């Protein structure tokens, strides 16, 4: 009986404690999250890779003077008849590619360029790609690319320039009916013969010293660039342009055993460029071109020695 009474009392105490206890609810603080909506933007990669250099037609600048306006281009010219050595951001010049409005002027296998014969009077802008050729130029271009853009409008003009070693250069630009249709003709020549002091390899023996004449260094270079719009409208443009060059270079041989020769180079390029404006934001360009490169050597090759294998 006493044990049952203890059980009843303990039950009443537990019930009384549970009834007097109060449960406080927990309130969580609200967290506010804000975000801005951004519209996606499409950016062409070539806009960040290309750097353009404009050419002042009145200054009659050389290719070296034009390209060195850009800090990523280094140009070295050894002589007037040779093509300049161009390096983009210190990379090898053999990896560069050259274009005329998207048409390749270089051969990917031999890297033979004719930039030195291109009349700068016909070029209005140079697009420089120091980090590599863009996809639109359809080239490997491991060392970068230069794309020469012709003048859209041009006026008639005539200019001459002279220098030492018999150097003479001139060009003429003639409009054909209107400023968009024009023709540029350039020509240059030089003897580049010079005298020098020959000590015969004996600096301390004056008896065999003499003055010598270095001959057979002449060169002739001619370039012709036509630009002829065929059809123009608000949605479609068709234009013909070309590049023709002739170079004759004399190659001097040894002083003791002369082995003179002449190197002749003929280059021809004809291109049709069609531009379609599909929508205000979308356009397409097609290029159709033919290219001819001929080189020939005429002269006598020096026999240095005989080898037995």
């Amino acid at each position: 009986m006493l044990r049952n009474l203890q059980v009843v009392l303990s039950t009443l105490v537990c019930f009384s404690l549970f009834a007097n206890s109060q449960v406080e609810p927990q309130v969580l603080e609200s967290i506010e999250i804000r975000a801005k909506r951004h519209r996606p933007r499409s950016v062409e990669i070539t806009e960040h890779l290309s750097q353009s250099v404009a050419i002042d037609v009145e200054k009659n600048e050389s290719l070296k003077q034009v390209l060195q306006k850009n800090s990523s281009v280094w140009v070295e010219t050894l002589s007037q008849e040779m093509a300049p050595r161009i390096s983009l951001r210190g990379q090898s010049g053999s990896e560069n590619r050259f274009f005329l409005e998207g048409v390749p002027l270089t051969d990917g296998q031999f890297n033979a360029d004719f930039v030195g014969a291109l009349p700068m009077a016909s070029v209005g802008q140079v697009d420089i790609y120091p980090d590599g050729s863009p996809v639109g130029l359809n080239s490997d271009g491991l060392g970068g690319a230069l794309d020469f853009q012709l003048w859209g409008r041009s006026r008639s003009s005539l200019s001459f320039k002279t220098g030492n070693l018999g150097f003479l250069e001139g060009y003429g630009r003639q409009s054909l009916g209107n400023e968009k249709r024009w023709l540029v003709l350039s020509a240059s020549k030089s003897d580049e013969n010079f005298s020098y002091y020959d000590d015969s390899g004996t600096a301390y023996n004056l008896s065999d010293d003499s003055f010598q004449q270095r001959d057979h260094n002449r060169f002739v270079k001619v370039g012709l660039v036509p630009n002829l719009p065929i059809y123009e409208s608000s949605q479609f443009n068709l234009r013909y342009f070309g590049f023709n060059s002739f170079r004759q270079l004399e190659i001097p041989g040894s002083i003791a055993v002369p082995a003179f020769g002449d190197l002749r180079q003929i280059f021809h390029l004809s291109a049709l460029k069609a531009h379609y404006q599909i929508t205000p934001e979308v356009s397409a360009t097609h290029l159709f071109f033919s290219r001819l490169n001929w080189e020939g050597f005429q002269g006598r090759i020096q026999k240095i020695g005989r080898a037995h294998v």
Side-chain angles (χ1 to χ4, degrees), residues 75 94 122 126 137 162:
V75 184
S94 61
S122 62
V126 182
L137 292 180
T162 184

Side-chain angles (χ1 to χ4, degrees), residues 8-21:
V8 173
L9 291 176
S10 59
T11 304
L12 292 175
V13 170
C14 292
F15 179 79
S16 176
L17 293 175
F18 177 79
N20 293 331
S21 63

Side-chain angles (χ1 to χ4, degrees), residues 226-242:
N227 183 72
L228 305 173
I230 299 176
Y231 179 80
E232 291 184 347
S233 67
S234 59
Q235 296 182 342
F236 175 72
N237 296 328
L238 180 63
R239 179 168 57 94
Y240 167 83
F241 65 91

Side-chain angles (χ1 to χ4, degrees), residues 30-45:
S30 61
I31 300 175
E32 184 178 358
I33 300 177
R34 296 180 181 181
K36 296 182 179 180
R37 297 181 59 185
H38 292 276
R39 295 181 179 180
R41 294 180 296 177
S42 60
V43 180
E44 295 182 4
I45 298 178

